[in-house]
Amino acid sequence: MTEELVNLSRLQFAVTAMYHFLFVPLTLGMTWLLVIMESVYVMTGKVIYKDMTRFWGKLFGINFALGVTTGITLEFQFGTNWAYYSHYVGDIFGAPLAIEGLMAFFLESTFIGLFFFGWDRLSKQQHLLVTLLMAVGTNLSALWILIANGWMQNPVGAEFSYETMRMEMVDFAAVLFNPDAQAKFVHTVSAGYVTGAMFVLSISSWYLLKKRDVEFAKNSFRIAAAFGFASVCSVIVLGDESGYVVGEAQQTKLAAMEAMWETEPAPASFNLIAIPNEAEMKNDFAIHIPWLMGLIGTRSLDQQIPGIKDIVAHNRERIVSGISAVKALEQLRQDQSNTAAKAVFEKHKADLGFGLLLRKYTADVGTATPEMIDQAARSTIPKVAPMFWSFRVMVALGFAMLLLFGLALWYSIKGNFAEKSGFLRTAVWCLPMPWIACEVGWFVAEYGRQPWTIYGVLPTHLSVSTLSPASLYGSLAGFIAFYTVLLIVEMYLMIRFAKQGPGSLGTGRYLNEAIAH
Amino acid sequence: MAKPRSLLQEVIWIVVIKLLALTSIWWCFIRDVKVEVATTDTAHHFLASPSSSAQQRSTHHD
């Protein structure tokens, strides 16, 4: 498997996943905002809240349609580009994806149809129930996807079978209640809620700056400010939980995110800013905050967080143990009744994945040289600088949005936000923030798992299909071109309808009633 | 004059038509296509084959 092929397969998945995640968080957040707006309509009977649900629902619909299109290709890629991955872990990974399609996506897509076409056919309460079920379906969809992704980060509830040469599920409950999956789910959906809130807040701020559809914009702004503030608080608290879980299950990722080269005495200090030097395995410059890393990472004052150098040394031992597992497995493949090989395999099978890391350097793992083992051990740490800075960008954006939504909520309570033109202008310019935070957050999660597709179990270089680089270059170019067109269409439609505002509903109550009946 | 159909009736019709369409597609194009889970392919991809293993070992010892 050439390095070029592996890198191209990774790039293709990364590009398509990142495009897809431009649409997903807005869908996640908008559904609950629609539930809130429609609930107020049902409770108060004020028609402006119905108009808000319908108008923001229209923008949500555009985003949903394009989001679905970009998501489908990701699932196909598991078969086309990651065939060995699919064979090796499909038994576990496929289950949540199938449940997502059959349960959550069917639920969500059915109720989305009723949401748009049921306004004149359903009672107020029935339509609210439809909107609520649409939101539940959308979030359930995210739950199953993140259960699948959580298993890639922390593969629990499964065991390798030397007879079928694949991982097999032994405990579905462990996969379902995987702490990584649960922490990722709540953190990710909260980030989606922030995205939805920012979308409504920014566009409402723009209407207020233009002094158009003022009552509509004010009501939308208030709901977005309150929902956004609650959501951004959740993102930060649940992000901390997610980081804690990473520290438990993926020490390499945590160490890279924090540029921790050495194991410090507990409680470890936090590198606020650092210039990591990969070659010499040290930071050329760093500003420390004493104790903070120990408190965040272990929630204690006496537990150590292993540094990169110690992790590499430990992983080297696991690779050596993994060589025994691979050799025993080779013998078992020749003769499954070989009890001696079976005993050796059982003893070392937890390190099988580490032994397989050496397949990148040699065809026969048993002949690996000490240099190859050192190289493989060093490769278990993702590049530190991109991890360190991406994580800090995400956190900084999170706190900036906390400040923004905090002020928005404060001004909403005081009722003077419509006069704060400086703040409204800032809110408009902050629109891209949650998307950037989501993208860099996913980068930290996925790049930080390297060199594994399944952490500690399956190396990335063994997961890819045996395609030709030419076909990957071709399909990658096709994806980029097609997705860019979709993104342009989305931007065009969003901007068009956002500019038109609630007037696009054609109710006769708003400005720009150009397409009114 | 015929009574207009209720939304529930329409939704039921749509779901039935959708299920029939999906079943037809499965019946015509997918039912007979079986994908073998190729254990030997994975073993070959992940592990050294006995011949290459022996060859490498002899080269190593030389």
Side-chain angles (χ1 to χ4, degrees):
Chain A
M1 207 62 70
T2 65
E3 189 82 12
E4 185 186 20
L5 182 61
V6 176
N7 287 338
L8 279 170
S9 301
R10 285 178 60 198
L11 181 64
Q12 183 162 115
F13 199 88
V15 166
T16 45
M18 288 176 92
Y19 263 99
H20 180 54
F21 216 75
L22 290 172
F23 303 100
V24 173
L26 187 59
T27 298
L28 287 170
M30 285 300 286
T31 51
W32 287 114
L33 280 159
L34 296 175
V35 169
I36 295 168
M37 289 168 185
E38 196 171 350
S39 299
V40 180
Y41 165 59
V42 171
M43 287 187 289
T44 64
K46 289 182 182 170
V47 78
I48 191 168
Y49 290 99
K50 182 184 179 185
D51 293 344
M52 281 161 60
T53 315
R54 289 185 61 204
F55 171 68
W56 295 113
K58 188 182 274 192
L59 297 185
F60 155 78
I62 296 166
N63 183 70
F64 179 81
L66 295 170
V68 170
T69 318
T70 55
I72 290 168
T73 53
L74 285 174
E75 307 221 3
F76 286 125
Q77 278 183 57
F78 291 119
T80 55
N81 295 12
W82 302 92
Y84 285 107
Y85 166 90
S86 296
H87 174 256
Y88 202 71
V89 298
D91 190 42
I92 307 110
F93 190 78
L97 289 191
I99 298 170
E100 188 267 338
L102 291 171
M103 189 178 101
F105 188 68
F106 276 20
L107 181 76
E108 154 188 19
S109 53
T110 301
F111 285 103
I112 278 173
L114 285 170
F115 173 83
F116 285 107
F117 302 112
W119 281 109
D120 303 322
R121 313 287 298 270
L122 295 164
S123 70
K124 277 188 202 174
Q125 290 78 7
Q126 282 173 333
H127 196 278
L128 175 60
L129 183 65
V130 161
T131 312
L132 181 67
L133 287 170
M134 179 176 81
V136 170
T138 306
N139 283 260
L140 269 180
S141 187
L143 173 70
W144 290 107
I145 296 293
L146 290 166
I147 284 172
N149 183 268
W151 189 79
M152 293 170 78
Q153 314 286 346
N154 182 21
V156 291
E159 269 188 19
F160 176 76
S161 161
Y162 62 83
E163 286 155 333
T164 57
M165 282 299 291
R166 62 199 299 226
M167 297 294 289
E168 292 177 355
M169 194 187 290
V170 291
D171 185 355
F172 182 66
V175 176
L176 189 61
F177 298 109
N178 182 352
D180 256 79
Q182 301 301 324
K184 271 180 103 67
F185 169 65
V186 287
H187 183 53
T188 308
V189 294
S190 298
Y193 303 162
V194 174
T195 310
M198 183 66 89
F199 182 76
V200 174
L201 190 89
S202 295
I203 296 174
S204 303
S205 298
W206 186 72
Y207 293 151
L208 290 169
L209 280 169
K210 297 275 172 195
K211 304 210 182 301
R212 47 171 287 197
D213 301 317
V214 171
E215 274 315 299
F216 182 95
K218 275 184 170 178
N219 286 318
S220 300
F221 185 101
R222 280 192 205 100
I223 288 176
F227 184 68
F229 183 72
S231 304
V232 80
C233 289
S234 304
V235 167
I236 292 169
V237 173
L238 299 168
D240 171 62
E241 175 63 22
S242 193
Y244 176 71
V245 172
V246 164
E248 298 263 291
Q250 291 177 290
Q251 291 179 340
T252 51
K253 187 188 278 183
L254 183 70
M257 269 158 63
E258 302 304 340
M260 282 187 63
W261 300 99
E262 310 285 348
T263 305
E264 291 181 28
S269 61
F270 176 76
N271 289 325
L272 184 67
I273 292 175
I275 301 175
N277 183 334
E278 308 269 352
E280 294 177 35
M281 296 182 83
K282 66 182 183 75
N283 293 326
D284 287 338
F285 169 79
I287 298 174
H288 307 287
I289 302 177
W291 287 27
L292 187 62
M293 193 57 231
L295 288 169
I296 296 172
T298 68
R299 295 179 184 163
S300 75
L301 292 170
D302 56 2
Q303 281 181 50
Q304 281 189 327
I305 299 176
I308 290 170
K309 288 179 182 171
D310 281 346
I311 295 173
V312 170
H314 175 65
N315 286 348
R316 194 186 191 286
E317 287 169 21
R318 293 196 69 178
I319 291 168
V320 172
S321 164
I323 294 172
S324 301
V326 174
K327 296 315 294 173
L329 180 60
E330 283 169 0
Q331 288 169 0
L332 279 170
R333 291 299 307 165
Q334 297 300 311
D335 174 13
Q336 294 192 0
S337 63
N338 184 337
T339 49
K342 199 173 174 185
V344 174
F345 182 70
E346 287 299 324
K347 188 177 169 195
H348 295 280
K349 76 174 178 187
D351 298 322
L352 175 66
F354 284 84
L356 291 173
L357 283 172
L358 288 165
R359 288 281 282 126
K360 188 173 177 183
Y361 309 98
T362 172
D364 183 0
V365 165
T367 62
T369 62
E371 293 73 31
M372 288 174 183
I373 298 173
D374 286 340
Q375 234 180 323
R378 183 67 183 84
S379 80
T380 57
I381 308 292
K383 280 206 168 24
V384 173
M387 290 291 291
F388 182 84
W389 286 109
S390 303
F391 179 68
R392 271 145 190 79
V393 168
M394 179 186 72
V395 173
L397 287 170
F399 281 103
M401 287 187 279
L402 177 69
L403 179 67
L404 184 88
F405 280 109
L407 282 172
L409 184 61
W410 176 246
Y411 294 145
S412 292
I413 292 165
K414 292 188 79 178
N416 60 353
F417 58 87
E419 294 97 61
K420 303 272 180 192
S421 58
F423 177 77
L424 294 174
R425 211 165 286 122
T426 308
V428 174
W429 284 105
C430 285
L431 180 61
M433 268 191 179
W435 277 275
I436 298 169
C438 286
E439 296 287 342
V440 289
W442 271 111
F443 175 82
V444 169
E446 298 301 293
Y447 186 80
R449 196 188 54 236
Q450 296 306 316
W452 309 98
T453 42
I454 305 295
Y455 190 77
V457 170
L458 180 62
T460 307
H461 67 91
L462 286 179
S463 307
V464 297
S465 306
T466 43
L467 298 169
S468 69
S471 66
L472 277 164
Y473 276 117
S475 53
L476 180 61
F479 272 127
I480 292 174
F482 178 57
Y483 280 20
T484 304
V485 170
L486 285 181
L487 194 62
I488 291 167
V489 170
E490 155 123 352
M491 299 287 276
Y492 168 76
L493 290 173
M494 285 284 193
I495 292 170
R496 185 179 159 218
F497 283 106
K499 270 187 172 171
Q500 205 169 5
S504 63
L505 298 173
T507 59
R509 290 187 282 274
Y510 302 99
L511 293 176
N512 300 325
E513 298 273 335
I515 60 162
H517 329 292
Chain B
M1 212 170 124
K3 253 176 81 176
R5 279 200 299 264
S6 72
L7 183 62
L8 183 66
Q9 276 176 312
E10 284 180 14
V11 169
I12 289 169
W13 269 113
I14 288 167
V15 170
V16 168
I17 291 167
K18 202 194 251 183
L19 286 174
L20 284 174
L22 285 172
T23 310
S24 314
I25 291 169
W26 175 80
W27 192 271
C28 297
F29 303 110
I30 299 166
R31 188 173 55 116
D32 297 326
V33 182
K34 301 268 190 279
V35 178
E36 290 292 324
V37 177
T39 303
T40 45
D41 281 355
T42 309
H44 184 72
H45 183 63
F46 281 41
L47 307 170
S49 60
S51 55
S52 77
S53 185
Q55 206 176 10
Q56 284 218 3
R57 229 167 270 130
S58 81
T59 316
H60 203 65
H61 291 304
D62 293 345

